[in-house]
Amino acid sequence: MESTIVKINNNLKELNKYGSPIYIYDNDILKNRIDNISKFREELEKELDGSKVSIHYSSKANNNPAILKAVKESGLYVDAMSPLELDLDKKCNFNNEEILYVCNNISKEEMKLVHDSNILICLDSISQVESWGELFPNTDIMVRINPGTGGVGHNKKVVTSGVESKFGVCEDNIEELLKVIKKYRLNLVGIHQHLGSLFLDDKVNNYMDGVKEGLRIIKEHFDGISIVDLGGGFGVPYKKEEEPLNLTKLAKTLSNELNKFIKDYPSVKEFKFEIGRYIPCEAGIIMGEVNAIKCENGVYWIGTDIGMNELVRPSMYNSYHEVTLLDKRNTKEVKTNICGNICESGDVIGRDRLLTIPKVGDKILVHNAGAYGFSMASNYTGRARPAEILLFDNKVKLIRKRETIESMEDDIVW
Ligand SMILES: Cc1ncc(COP(=O)(O)O)c(C=O)c1O
């Protein structure tokens, strides 16, 4: 398989037509990660006696229809967290049973939309169950619990288990939850938990602590549910020294616990996972241009057109993204800070990176930008969200146009 860099170099002239910066997704890598997850699904299902394993791609990571269609083609399912995601999922031909609506703090209007679409909903507080029950008594629901332990995540802001998390119903409140479910004769078909985003092999123990705790809570408090949803969090290496998640080992570890659970709790017929980041992350690169180079107070700064509005992860989570230059200049490598073009001190992509000093106009690449990249992009300080490109069969396929001043002004009521 040719590397993404070779493909970018082969197609540079064409890519330049779409402005800068641009998100570029390598279809070969995307397909490979989808295959890995499909294999994980099969391996785990084989280990479990008769229970189904469903993977719902968590489209919050990247909801471009090109990604959704690749997921659909592979036979995996999808989740939606907003009306737009639901609409995109439907337009990419996922049928109702393949979509799960996972939400928190939504309006009654949004509940009506989900209900009218005949999509299973996962609610995440007693208050939301009450609202749903008033509107739609006698219907199927899933509920998200907060197991209290086993939180995982690359940053505190994405850990979703424990007292600091806004999500789910904690064990102490389950009795109250069951009363509300009974009051509206709701049919609780499944329990959901999501422990946080991004664990690798070194944190699998932590993740499994959360899984075990969730399963214990289900056994102790809920009768006859048929679905257990264990959420997402499957990580990818962002740094060169990190190893990819061992999915075969994880399937084994999970199956040991899940089989023990099924013995005591035979009504469960399906285990769901909502995997986001793992699928598109490593396929994506954001390619920008160097606009300025300076050395101030002994520190080299490479000023680029990749601002925090295009890729917010470094400034929001302090996340590490590998940065490389497409053209290697014949200068010696020095420690540099790489930053964007937004008027904020936090608009920094990476610090202390060894790079050759580029020239203005050189192309710069920020790697592993396929998940929570474009999907978190904004128009902050009036900058356009970039075009998205799929590199397919070594050719450039435009999958989202770059915004223009006109399109950004379109919704303004003057
Ligand atoms: C409820 C829920 N499910 C699934 C995911 C996907 O997580 P990840 O991208 O880490 O797989 C998230 C993201 O944090 C989430 O909030």
Side-chain angles (χ1 to χ4, degrees):
M1 208 192 343
E2 249 175 334
S3 81
T4 311
I5 307 298
V6 172
K7 289 176 200 162
I8 288 177
N9 270 317
N10 289 345
N11 288 286
L12 203 51
K13 222 169 134 193
E14 179 70 12
L15 288 168
N16 281 337
K17 286 187 192 161
Y18 300 106
S20 180
I22 43 173
Y23 272 98
I24 302 168
Y25 309 116
D26 186 329
N27 193 56
D28 292 328
I29 299 178
L30 176 69
K31 276 279 183 352
N32 173 274
R33 299 309 186 267
I34 291 174
D35 287 350
N36 291 350
I37 289 296
S38 303
K39 195 165 150 240
F40 163 82
R41 195 202 71 73
E42 282 160 27
E43 282 176 356
L44 182 56
E45 196 171 81
K46 217 160 72 193
E47 295 284 335
L48 302 178
D49 293 330
S51 293
K52 177 176 169 179
V53 175
S54 304
I55 308 284
H56 293 257
Y57 167 56
S58 192
S59 54
K60 71 192 281 193
N62 187 326
N63 61 29
N64 190 293
I67 312 280
L68 297 177
K69 283 179 193 164
V71 169
K72 169 70 189 163
E73 260 171 41
S74 72
L76 299 182
Y77 300 167
V78 75
D79 78 16
M81 298 192 172
S82 65
L84 175 72
E85 286 187 1
L86 180 55
D87 196 56
L88 293 173
D89 293 347
K90 287 185 201 166
K91 285 182 173 142
C92 291
N93 294 326
F94 288 96
N95 53 43
N96 293 356
E97 307 79 63
E98 295 171 339
I99 306 174
L100 177 67
Y101 205 81
V102 185
C103 51
N104 79 108
N105 307 329
I106 63 168
S107 65
K108 290 188 177 176
E109 197 186 350
E110 196 169 322
M111 288 181 185
K112 281 185 187 137
L113 176 83
V114 182
H115 175 264
D116 295 350
S117 300
N118 210 9
I119 303 288
L120 180 59
I121 194 163
C122 178
L123 298 160
D124 101 319
S125 65
I126 297 172
S127 170
Q128 291 263 284
V129 173
E130 181 93 42
S131 296
W132 177 275
E134 276 170 15
L135 289 168
F136 311 114
N138 255 319
T139 53
D140 289 351
I141 55 163
M142 286 181 52
V143 172
R144 177 170 183 166
I145 58 165
N146 177 345
T149 58
V152 287
H154 58 84
N155 181 283
K156 209 174 138 194
K157 289 180 187 156
V158 299
V159 174
T160 52
S161 177
V163 289
E164 285 190 43
S165 169
K166 70 167 182 162
F167 296 102
V169 179
C170 66
E171 191 172 8
D172 289 350
N173 288 331
I174 290 177
E175 216 172 293
E176 179 61 24
L177 167 71
L178 291 172
K179 276 190 202 150
V180 176
I181 288 175
K182 198 166 163 207
K183 179 170 156 197
Y184 295 103
R185 298 176 313 283
L186 294 166
N187 181 24
L188 180 69
V189 294
I191 291 295
H192 169 285
Q193 70 175 34
H194 170 67
L195 297 164
S197 191
L198 208 164
F199 66 89
L200 288 169
D201 288 343
D202 60 336
K203 292 282 171 352
V204 164
N205 282 347
N206 220 38
Y207 171 76
M208 288 309 299
D209 285 347
V211 169
K212 285 179 212 167
E213 187 61 0
L215 297 176
R216 178 195 66 74
I217 291 173
I218 293 170
K219 275 198 286 196
E220 280 186 27
H221 299 278
F222 300 99
D223 285 332
I225 62 156
S226 56
I227 303 170
V228 172
D229 184 337
L230 295 171
F234 291 27
V236 299
Y238 280 84
K239 292 185 177 161
K240 279 198 182 113
E241 62 272 21
E242 289 171 339
E243 291 292 326
L245 186 64
N246 187 333
L247 289 174
T248 300
K249 206 164 145 204
L250 181 59
K252 262 252 144 351
T253 310
L254 274 165
S255 69
N256 286 340
E257 280 316 311
L258 302 186
N259 274 328
K260 274 193 261 168
F261 170 75
I262 300 167
K263 273 206 184 101
D264 299 337
Y265 204 106
S267 67
V268 164
K269 296 287 175 258
E270 181 182 359
F271 291 95
K272 288 184 184 295
F273 293 85
E274 295 159 8
I275 293 172
R277 181 188 315 272
Y278 186 93
I279 288 178
C281 187
E282 292 165 285
I285 282 177
I286 178 162
M287 178 167 79
E289 269 176 23
V290 174
N291 281 346
I293 303 130
K294 65 175 193 174
C295 184
E296 299 286 349
N297 303 314
V299 179
Y300 280 97
W301 289 92
I302 300 179
T304 77
D305 60 2
I306 306 173
M308 61 195 284
N309 66 305
E310 277 107 3
L311 181 70
V312 76
R313 297 190 71 254
S315 47
M316 180 141 169
Y317 304 126
N318 214 10
S319 303
Y320 182 93
H321 283 262
E322 194 71 34
V323 180
T324 59
L325 292 159
L326 198 60
D327 313 291
K328 296 275 177 301
R329 296 284 166 190
N330 232 351
T331 53
K332 88 172 196 317
E333 287 185 332
V334 288
K335 267 194 188 168
T336 58
N337 293 344
I338 305 107
C339 56
N341 52 357
I342 301 296
C343 292
E344 288 246 2
S345 287
D347 181 34
V348 176
I349 303 165
R351 289 180 192 269
D352 293 334
R353 306 297 178 82
L354 272 181
L355 290 175
T356 54
I357 297 294
K359 287 203 174 0
V360 169
D362 280 1
K363 296 286 186 195
I364 189 156
L365 309 171
V366 182
H367 299 260
N368 277 9
Y372 306 109
F374 188 93
S375 66
M376 293 179 84
S378 74
N379 293 130
Y380 186 41
T381 73
R383 300 224 167 253
R385 290 183 305 160
E388 289 179 289
I389 303 286
L390 188 70
L391 287 172
F392 190 89
D393 278 349
N394 213 353
K395 286 197 195 66
V396 168
K397 190 172 169 209
L398 179 68
I399 55 170
R400 190 191 307 265
K401 288 191 265 183
R402 181 179 176 75
E403 286 175 328
T404 60
I405 291 185
E406 291 73 34
S407 69
M408 288 190 286
E409 286 182 349
D410 211 29
D411 294 329
I412 298 173
V413 180
W414 292 94

Short mmCIF file of all heavy atoms in Angstrom, two decimals, residues 58 60-61 79 81 102 144 158 160 167 192 194 196-198 231-234 274-278 372, ligand 1:
data_model
loop_
_atom_site.label_atom_id
_atom_site.label_comp_id
_atom_site.label_asym_id
_atom_site.label_seq_id
_atom_site.Cartn_x
_atom_site.Cartn_y
_atom_site.Cartn_z
N SER A 58 -19.64 5.60 15.87
CA SER A 58 -20.08 6.82 16.52
C SER A 58 -19.74 8.01 15.62
O SER A 58 -18.59 8.47 15.58
CB SER A 58 -19.39 6.95 17.88
OG SER A 58 -20.01 7.96 18.62
N LYS A 60 -20.11 11.01 15.65
CA LYS A 60 -19.60 12.29 16.16
C LYS A 60 -18.12 12.46 15.82
O LYS A 60 -17.63 13.58 15.71
CB LYS A 60 -19.83 12.41 17.67
CG LYS A 60 -18.94 11.50 18.51
CD LYS A 60 -19.36 11.42 19.96
CE LYS A 60 -18.92 12.61 20.79
NZ LYS A 60 -19.07 12.35 22.25
N ALA A 61 -17.41 11.35 15.65
CA ALA A 61 -15.98 11.43 15.34
C ALA A 61 -15.75 12.06 13.97
O ALA A 61 -14.80 12.82 13.76
CB ALA A 61 -15.34 10.05 15.40
N ASP A 79 -24.32 5.23 15.13
CA ASP A 79 -25.15 5.94 16.11
C ASP A 79 -25.31 7.38 15.68
O ASP A 79 -24.59 7.87 14.81
CB ASP A 79 -24.64 5.78 17.56
CG ASP A 79 -23.45 6.66 17.90
OD1 ASP A 79 -23.17 7.62 17.16
OD2 ASP A 79 -22.79 6.40 18.92
N MET A 81 -26.22 11.41 17.33
CA MET A 81 -26.34 12.19 18.56
C MET A 81 -27.06 13.51 18.34
O MET A 81 -27.11 14.34 19.24
CB MET A 81 -24.95 12.45 19.13
CG MET A 81 -24.23 11.18 19.51
SD MET A 81 -22.78 11.48 20.48
CE MET A 81 -22.35 9.79 20.95
N VAL A 102 -28.11 8.15 20.60
CA VAL A 102 -27.48 8.28 21.92
C VAL A 102 -27.37 9.78 22.22
O VAL A 102 -26.69 10.51 21.51
CB VAL A 102 -26.06 7.66 21.92
CG1 VAL A 102 -25.45 7.68 23.30
CG2 VAL A 102 -26.11 6.23 21.39
N ARG A 144 -28.71 5.13 29.95
CA ARG A 144 -27.26 5.18 30.22
C ARG A 144 -27.03 5.27 31.73
O ARG A 144 -27.64 6.09 32.42
CB ARG A 144 -26.66 6.42 29.54
CG ARG A 144 -25.19 6.60 29.83
CD ARG A 144 -24.62 7.69 28.94
NE ARG A 144 -23.19 7.85 29.14
CZ ARG A 144 -22.40 8.54 28.32
NH1 ARG A 144 -22.90 9.13 27.26
NH2 ARG A 144 -21.12 8.65 28.56
N VAL A 158 -12.81 14.25 28.62
CA VAL A 158 -13.49 13.18 27.88
C VAL A 158 -13.63 11.89 28.71
O VAL A 158 -13.97 10.85 28.17
CB VAL A 158 -12.79 12.87 26.53
CG1 VAL A 158 -12.80 14.09 25.62
CG2 VAL A 158 -11.37 12.37 26.73
N THR A 160 -15.85 9.85 31.12
CA THR A 160 -17.30 9.95 31.29
C THR A 160 -17.86 8.97 32.33
O THR A 160 -19.02 8.59 32.27
CB THR A 160 -18.02 9.74 29.94
OG1 THR A 160 -17.54 8.53 29.36
CG2 THR A 160 -17.76 10.87 28.99
N PHE A 167 -22.75 12.58 32.72
CA PHE A 167 -23.55 11.56 32.02
C PHE A 167 -24.11 10.47 32.93
O PHE A 167 -23.47 10.04 33.88
CB PHE A 167 -22.70 10.87 30.95
CG PHE A 167 -22.24 11.80 29.87
CD1 PHE A 167 -20.95 12.28 29.85
CD2 PHE A 167 -23.12 12.19 28.87
CE1 PHE A 167 -20.53 13.14 28.85
CE2 PHE A 167 -22.71 13.06 27.86
CZ PHE A 167 -21.41 13.53 27.86
N HIS A 192 -26.82 1.15 28.87
CA HIS A 192 -25.68 1.70 28.13
C HIS A 192 -24.68 2.30 29.13
O HIS A 192 -25.07 2.84 30.16
CB HIS A 192 -26.21 2.79 27.21
CG HIS A 192 -25.17 3.65 26.56
ND1 HIS A 192 -24.48 4.64 27.24
CD2 HIS A 192 -24.71 3.69 25.29
CE1 HIS A 192 -23.65 5.24 26.41
NE2 HIS A 192 -23.77 4.68 25.22
N HIS A 194 -20.68 4.42 28.73
CA HIS A 194 -19.51 4.81 27.91
C HIS A 194 -18.53 5.40 28.90
O HIS A 194 -18.85 6.34 29.62
CB HIS A 194 -19.94 5.83 26.85
CG HIS A 194 -18.79 6.47 26.14
ND1 HIS A 194 -17.96 5.78 25.29
CD2 HIS A 194 -18.33 7.76 26.14
CE1 HIS A 194 -17.04 6.60 24.80
NE2 HIS A 194 -17.24 7.80 25.31
N GLY A 196 -15.47 6.71 28.44
CA GLY A 196 -14.62 7.84 28.06
C GLY A 196 -13.95 7.54 26.73
O GLY A 196 -14.10 6.45 26.17
N SER A 197 -13.22 8.52 26.24
CA SER A 197 -12.66 8.38 24.90
C SER A 197 -11.14 8.24 24.91
O SER A 197 -10.44 9.15 25.37
CB SER A 197 -13.07 9.60 24.06
OG SER A 197 -12.77 9.38 22.71
N LEU A 198 -10.70 7.13 24.42
CA LEU A 198 -9.30 6.77 24.18
C LEU A 198 -8.63 6.00 25.31
O LEU A 198 -8.16 6.59 26.29
CB LEU A 198 -8.43 7.98 23.82
CG LEU A 198 -7.22 7.65 22.92
CD1 LEU A 198 -6.62 8.89 22.28
CD2 LEU A 198 -6.12 6.86 23.60
N GLY A 231 -20.44 1.21 24.85
CA GLY A 231 -19.90 2.49 24.38
C GLY A 231 -18.66 2.35 23.52
O GLY A 231 -18.41 1.31 22.90
N GLY A 232 -17.87 3.42 23.50
CA GLY A 232 -16.67 3.43 22.64
C GLY A 232 -15.41 3.59 23.46
O GLY A 232 -15.30 3.03 24.54
N GLY A 233 -14.46 4.35 22.92
CA GLY A 233 -13.22 4.62 23.65
C GLY A 233 -11.99 3.93 23.07
O GLY A 233 -10.87 4.19 23.52
N PHE A 234 -12.18 3.07 22.06
CA PHE A 234 -11.05 2.33 21.50
C PHE A 234 -10.05 3.32 20.90
O PHE A 234 -10.37 4.07 19.98
CB PHE A 234 -11.53 1.35 20.42
CG PHE A 234 -12.34 0.19 20.93
CD1 PHE A 234 -13.08 0.29 22.10
CD2 PHE A 234 -12.37 -1.02 20.24
CE1 PHE A 234 -13.83 -0.78 22.58
CE2 PHE A 234 -13.12 -2.10 20.70
CZ PHE A 234 -13.85 -1.97 21.87
N GLU A 274 -19.98 1.37 20.64
CA GLU A 274 -20.10 2.60 19.81
C GLU A 274 -18.70 3.12 19.56
O GLU A 274 -18.17 3.91 20.33
CB GLU A 274 -20.91 3.65 20.56
CG GLU A 274 -22.34 3.27 20.81
CD GLU A 274 -22.94 4.06 21.96
OE1 GLU A 274 -22.32 5.00 22.46
OE2 GLU A 274 -24.05 3.68 22.37
N ILE A 275 -18.11 2.66 18.48
CA ILE A 275 -16.70 2.98 18.24
C ILE A 275 -16.60 4.17 17.29
O ILE A 275 -17.13 4.14 16.18
CB ILE A 275 -15.98 1.72 17.70
CG1 ILE A 275 -15.96 0.69 18.83
CG2 ILE A 275 -14.58 2.06 17.20
CD1 ILE A 275 -15.48 -0.66 18.44
N GLY A 276 -15.94 5.22 17.76
CA GLY A 276 -15.81 6.42 16.96
C GLY A 276 -14.40 6.58 16.43
O GLY A 276 -14.06 6.15 15.32
N ARG A 277 -13.54 7.18 17.26
CA ARG A 277 -12.19 7.57 16.86
C ARG A 277 -11.44 6.51 16.06
O ARG A 277 -10.79 6.81 15.06
CB ARG A 277 -11.39 7.85 18.14
CG ARG A 277 -9.96 8.28 17.91
CD ARG A 277 -9.21 8.34 19.25
NE ARG A 277 -9.98 8.98 20.29
CZ ARG A 277 -9.99 10.29 20.52
NH1 ARG A 277 -9.26 11.08 19.80
NH2 ARG A 277 -10.75 10.79 21.49
N TYR A 278 -11.51 5.25 16.50
CA TYR A 278 -10.67 4.20 15.91
C TYR A 278 -10.84 4.13 14.38
O TYR A 278 -9.88 3.87 13.66
CB TYR A 278 -11.01 2.83 16.54
CG TYR A 278 -10.07 1.75 16.07
CD1 TYR A 278 -8.93 1.43 16.80
CD2 TYR A 278 -10.30 1.07 14.86
CE1 TYR A 278 -8.04 0.45 16.35
CE2 TYR A 278 -9.42 0.12 14.40
CZ TYR A 278 -8.30 -0.20 15.15
OH TYR A 278 -7.42 -1.14 14.70
N TYR A 372 -12.64 13.73 15.28
CA TYR A 372 -12.75 14.94 16.10
C TYR A 372 -11.89 16.06 15.51
O TYR A 372 -11.35 16.89 16.23
CB TYR A 372 -12.39 14.64 17.57
CG TYR A 372 -13.21 13.50 18.13
CD1 TYR A 372 -12.65 12.25 18.39
CD2 TYR A 372 -14.58 13.65 18.33
CE1 TYR A 372 -13.42 11.20 18.85
CE2 TYR A 372 -15.36 12.60 18.79
CZ TYR A 372 -14.78 11.38 19.05
OH TYR A 372 -15.55 10.33 19.50
C1 LIG B 1 -21.82 8.05 24.15
C2 LIG B 1 -20.62 7.92 23.31
N1 LIG B 1 -20.45 6.80 22.59
C3 LIG B 1 -19.37 6.63 21.80
C4 LIG B 1 -18.40 7.60 21.71
C5 LIG B 1 -17.21 7.36 20.81
O1 LIG B 1 -16.04 7.35 21.51
P1 LIG B 1 -14.67 7.04 20.79
O2 LIG B 1 -14.53 8.00 19.68
O3 LIG B 1 -13.65 7.25 21.86
O4 LIG B 1 -14.73 5.62 20.33
C6 LIG B 1 -18.52 8.77 22.45
C7 LIG B 1 -17.46 9.78 22.42
O5 LIG B 1 -16.92 10.21 23.38
C8 LIG B 1 -19.67 8.95 23.25
O6 LIG B 1 -19.86 10.08 23.94
#
